[in-house]
Amino acid sequence: MHQNTLRAEKVDEIHASDLEIPHGTNLGTPDERADLLLAQMTLEEKIGQMSQVNGGGWDLHKSIQEGRIGSVLNEVNVDTVNELQRVAMEESRLGIPLLIGRDVIHGFKTIFPIPLGQAASWNPDLVKQGAAIAGLEASSTGVNWTFAPMIDITRDPRWGRIAESLGEDPHLGSVLGAAMVQGFQGNDLGAKGSIAACAKHFAGYGAVESGLDYNTANIPENELRNVYLRPFKAALDAGVATFMAAFSDLNGVPATGNEFLMKQVLRKEWNFDGFVVSDWDSISELTVHGYAADHKEAAFEALNAGIDMEMASTTYAGNVQTLIDEGKINEQQIDTMVCNILRVKFQLGLFENPYTNPEQYPALVNEQHLQAAKMAAQESCVLLKNDNQALPLSKTQLSSLAIIGPLADDGQEQLGTWVFDGESHHSQTPLQAIQKFVGDDLIIHVARGLDTSRSNDKRHFDEAVQAAQQCDAVVMFVGEEAILSGEAHCRADIDLPGHQEQLIDAIASTGKPITLVVLAGRPLTMGNIIDKVSAVLYAWHPGTMAGPAITDLLFGQTSPSGKLPVSFPRVVGQIPIYYSKKNTGRPPSHDNITHIDHIDGGAAQTSLGMSAFYLDAGFTPLFPFGYGLSYSHFDYSDIVISDQHINLGDTIHFTAQVRNCGDVEAQEVVQLYIRDLVGNVTRPVKELKGFEKITLQAGESQTVSFSLHTDDLAFYNRKMELVTEPGDFHVWIGGSSEAELWGEFKIL
Ligand code: NOJ
């Protein structure tokens, strides 16, 4: 309710200030207008539209005047942006406005949780609202295009960019990615407050080998289509205006020069009519990949693949004319690409309304935006462990509390990666919020313990131990600083960095119950520490409102409701580990595996359980996809399947009873999984096909329903045809990917 109200208010505000846009005038469709404009353009002006340059204070006056720039990124000073638009509109020959691009990834000034955190909310309305607010704030400075959502499926937490992603699952990534597109773009790209979204990075970047950024990705076409491309198709169906090519090499062809991706899939199969931008320098980097000998060849490969706009590097500006003169490309190809770009500019209403008056926008970081960010942060937190109901903490039962750790009071680090515009002075930290909440009711002892999450300096350990000794309970804020995740920030060891584990050991030696709050940009491996603490609340990097959100959860003002959007490995050697795996010919079970500590001396080669498991880590993750506890618990029963048999083309319905068996109101993410038992290509052991976040009062039951059309069960087969095959299916409904309540049906 709350969220919808907020969106509606935003829309009203926007419409009130929207009146000068001449909607409904007879100017023609964006298509017609793009064609008319194109007919007046010189080749140089066309190449200009295909060129995006960095702003950030550079003097772009002359190049804009001469029509050599179509888009500027990283300029967020509204006066400068207006001046650039003025030069484009009034001083360039054809008066074509600029696209102003920016990485508005999880908020502009009001910072929301990192996308991976938002994904843990499993709440599309909340995710949409976060994008809408981010877009609204950004557009008040003249930004009209964001490079988001990032919808790369990734199953490797070593990869720093997992922080920007929506996790491991194509269905969850599709639903939430589409919600972000709708949030940024609204119902009308031309409305004030709407900005163009960009589905990135097309495609396969999330599968870079060994979780190393910019590395090669090798993905069989079948897997590419069944897993990695699905969120992109969903973004396209949600109307995303632009796509960005990935930096990475896919099956030997860098995405930026990849005709199969850009032409075959995106344009031919999906009929995309927006435009594709390269990534930063990714066209000139085709030479570094060893895919092009020089910048002329690089420009040719990117043009030939269908990259409409070049970001940062200038191979188009330097080579298109020559490539045309040499007959390697023809001007019609260029025309098509320029039209793709102009159409989006017309859709955005930029020709009618190129300037930005910040006074027509709500204040940045206003109370409404902060409350939305708080709600997003709250729903993003995942309660991973809560032994003996260590949480929630009670102000009446405790008399003192120790707050320990390097991330309890650090307004910058809680914001996470990709916050070009976020400012830590807006941050409300956990320590500040806890102190405010408890007032004089509790004595709080504070000790940072370590200066940073990476510190190996144990100098302050004694102080931290003393703080713990003086208190009834301890809350430790550990994890990763923002700089340890994000682009080019990968880690090969994803345990808690620095001496944080030793700090936990020192505090645990006091015997005081420890609640661990983890702020991090990725799943960390916690196999070594999980048994040393009573409770773990995984908060990701929660953004500006980390403090109030976490405090409400710790003190039971509301119950945690986040669920993991990605599996948590026990140790790094299990990676990639994900729930939607294939069965293999030798699947393990708990009865047929042996642990390395239990091998008899001289054991026979075949005596250990000949199946797919690690002798030292088993085969299960520490916490599975979809998992998360609350202060209540839920019982699932009475699965009902509408039909035992259905025909292709039919829809099948499933219901289950979900009961809140605890004594507090709580939200639960009810999840629907299926397994297609036999396929023309092997099918995963489980696939998420639906989910719904519900709120139940203590003791309340609800019947939750899902419907699937047989098309929802389709997959790409050996011939790359999208088919639903007749056969047997299993279905589960439950609170995680390890749901137990199940049934079966058949497609005839
Ligand atoms: C490189 C990143 O890969 C991409 O995600 C980002 O949008 C661009 N740089 C622009 O900053």
Short mmCIF file of all heavy atoms in Angstrom, two decimals, residues 593-601 603 608 613-618:
data_model
loop_
_atom_site.label_atom_id
_atom_site.label_comp_id
_atom_site.label_asym_id
_atom_site.label_seq_id
_atom_site.Cartn_x
_atom_site.Cartn_y
_atom_site.Cartn_z
N ILE A 593 27.67 -39.90 1.10
CA ILE A 593 28.93 -39.15 1.06
C ILE A 593 29.74 -39.41 2.34
O ILE A 593 29.21 -39.75 3.38
CB ILE A 593 28.70 -37.64 0.89
CG1 ILE A 593 28.06 -37.00 2.13
CG2 ILE A 593 27.86 -37.35 -0.33
CD1 ILE A 593 28.10 -35.49 2.08
N THR A 594 31.04 -39.23 2.20
CA THR A 594 31.97 -39.43 3.32
C THR A 594 32.70 -38.13 3.57
O THR A 594 32.97 -37.40 2.61
CB THR A 594 33.04 -40.48 2.92
OG1 THR A 594 32.37 -41.57 2.36
CG2 THR A 594 33.87 -40.90 4.11
N HIS A 595 33.01 -37.85 4.80
CA HIS A 595 33.82 -36.65 5.08
C HIS A 595 35.28 -37.05 5.21
O HIS A 595 35.58 -38.15 5.68
CB HIS A 595 33.33 -35.95 6.36
CG HIS A 595 33.97 -34.62 6.55
ND1 HIS A 595 35.13 -34.43 7.27
CD2 HIS A 595 33.63 -33.39 6.07
CE1 HIS A 595 35.47 -33.14 7.24
NE2 HIS A 595 34.58 -32.50 6.52
N ILE A 596 36.15 -36.18 4.82
CA ILE A 596 37.59 -36.46 4.83
C ILE A 596 38.07 -36.93 6.21
O ILE A 596 38.98 -37.76 6.32
CB ILE A 596 38.36 -35.19 4.36
CG1 ILE A 596 39.79 -35.50 4.00
CG2 ILE A 596 38.29 -34.06 5.39
CD1 ILE A 596 40.44 -34.43 3.15
N ASP A 597 37.43 -36.43 7.28
CA ASP A 597 37.86 -36.82 8.64
C ASP A 597 37.43 -38.24 9.00
O ASP A 597 37.85 -38.76 10.03
CB ASP A 597 37.26 -35.86 9.68
CG ASP A 597 37.81 -34.47 9.54
OD1 ASP A 597 38.88 -34.33 8.91
OD2 ASP A 597 37.16 -33.51 10.03
N HIS A 598 36.55 -38.83 8.18
CA HIS A 598 36.03 -40.15 8.53
C HIS A 598 36.48 -41.25 7.59
O HIS A 598 35.84 -42.30 7.51
CB HIS A 598 34.48 -40.10 8.57
CG HIS A 598 33.98 -39.04 9.50
ND1 HIS A 598 32.95 -38.20 9.20
CD2 HIS A 598 34.42 -38.67 10.74
CE1 HIS A 598 32.76 -37.35 10.19
NE2 HIS A 598 33.64 -37.62 11.14
N ILE A 599 37.54 -41.00 6.85
CA ILE A 599 38.02 -42.03 5.93
C ILE A 599 38.93 -43.00 6.69
O ILE A 599 39.88 -42.57 7.36
CB ILE A 599 38.80 -41.40 4.75
CG1 ILE A 599 37.91 -40.39 4.01
CG2 ILE A 599 39.31 -42.46 3.80
CD1 ILE A 599 38.64 -39.62 2.92
N ASP A 600 38.62 -44.27 6.60
CA ASP A 600 39.47 -45.26 7.26
C ASP A 600 40.80 -45.35 6.54
O ASP A 600 40.86 -45.21 5.32
CB ASP A 600 38.80 -46.65 7.21
CG ASP A 600 37.50 -46.65 7.99
OD1 ASP A 600 37.39 -45.83 8.93
OD2 ASP A 600 36.59 -47.42 7.63
N GLY A 601 41.85 -45.63 7.29
CA GLY A 601 43.15 -45.85 6.67
C GLY A 601 43.06 -47.00 5.67
O GLY A 601 42.40 -48.01 5.94
N ALA A 603 41.38 -47.11 2.96
CA ALA A 603 40.02 -47.30 2.40
C ALA A 603 40.09 -47.62 0.91
O ALA A 603 40.93 -47.08 0.18
CB ALA A 603 39.20 -46.05 2.63
N LEU A 608 33.99 -44.57 -0.80
CA LEU A 608 33.66 -43.29 -0.18
C LEU A 608 32.34 -42.69 -0.67
O LEU A 608 31.96 -41.61 -0.23
CB LEU A 608 34.79 -42.29 -0.41
CG LEU A 608 36.17 -42.75 0.08
CD1 LEU A 608 37.20 -41.65 -0.16
CD2 LEU A 608 36.14 -43.11 1.55
N PHE A 613 30.40 -34.92 -4.92
CA PHE A 613 30.52 -34.14 -3.68
C PHE A 613 32.00 -33.90 -3.39
O PHE A 613 32.87 -34.53 -3.97
CB PHE A 613 29.85 -34.86 -2.50
CG PHE A 613 30.61 -36.07 -2.02
CD1 PHE A 613 31.46 -36.00 -0.92
CD2 PHE A 613 30.48 -37.30 -2.67
CE1 PHE A 613 32.17 -37.12 -0.48
CE2 PHE A 613 31.19 -38.41 -2.24
CZ PHE A 613 32.04 -38.33 -1.14
N TYR A 614 32.27 -32.95 -2.49
CA TYR A 614 33.63 -32.69 -2.04
C TYR A 614 33.87 -33.44 -0.73
O TYR A 614 33.04 -33.38 0.18
CB TYR A 614 33.84 -31.20 -1.76
CG TYR A 614 33.72 -30.31 -2.98
CD1 TYR A 614 32.58 -29.57 -3.22
CD2 TYR A 614 34.78 -30.22 -3.89
CE1 TYR A 614 32.48 -28.75 -4.34
CE2 TYR A 614 34.69 -29.41 -5.02
CZ TYR A 614 33.54 -28.68 -5.23
OH TYR A 614 33.44 -27.87 -6.33
N LEU A 615 35.03 -34.09 -0.63
CA LEU A 615 35.35 -34.80 0.61
C LEU A 615 35.42 -33.84 1.80
O LEU A 615 35.13 -34.22 2.93
CB LEU A 615 36.70 -35.51 0.47
CG LEU A 615 36.72 -36.75 -0.44
CD1 LEU A 615 38.14 -37.21 -0.66
CD2 LEU A 615 35.87 -37.86 0.16
N ASP A 616 35.77 -32.59 1.53
CA ASP A 616 35.93 -31.64 2.64
C ASP A 616 34.81 -30.61 2.73
O ASP A 616 34.81 -29.79 3.64
CB ASP A 616 37.28 -30.92 2.52
CG ASP A 616 37.53 -30.42 1.12
OD1 ASP A 616 36.65 -30.58 0.24
OD2 ASP A 616 38.62 -29.85 0.89
N ALA A 617 33.87 -30.60 1.80
CA ALA A 617 32.82 -29.57 1.88
C ALA A 617 31.44 -30.11 1.50
O ALA A 617 30.49 -29.33 1.42
CB ALA A 617 33.17 -28.38 1.00
N GLY A 618 31.32 -31.39 1.28
CA GLY A 618 30.01 -31.96 0.97
C GLY A 618 29.47 -31.47 -0.37
O GLY A 618 30.23 -31.24 -1.31
#
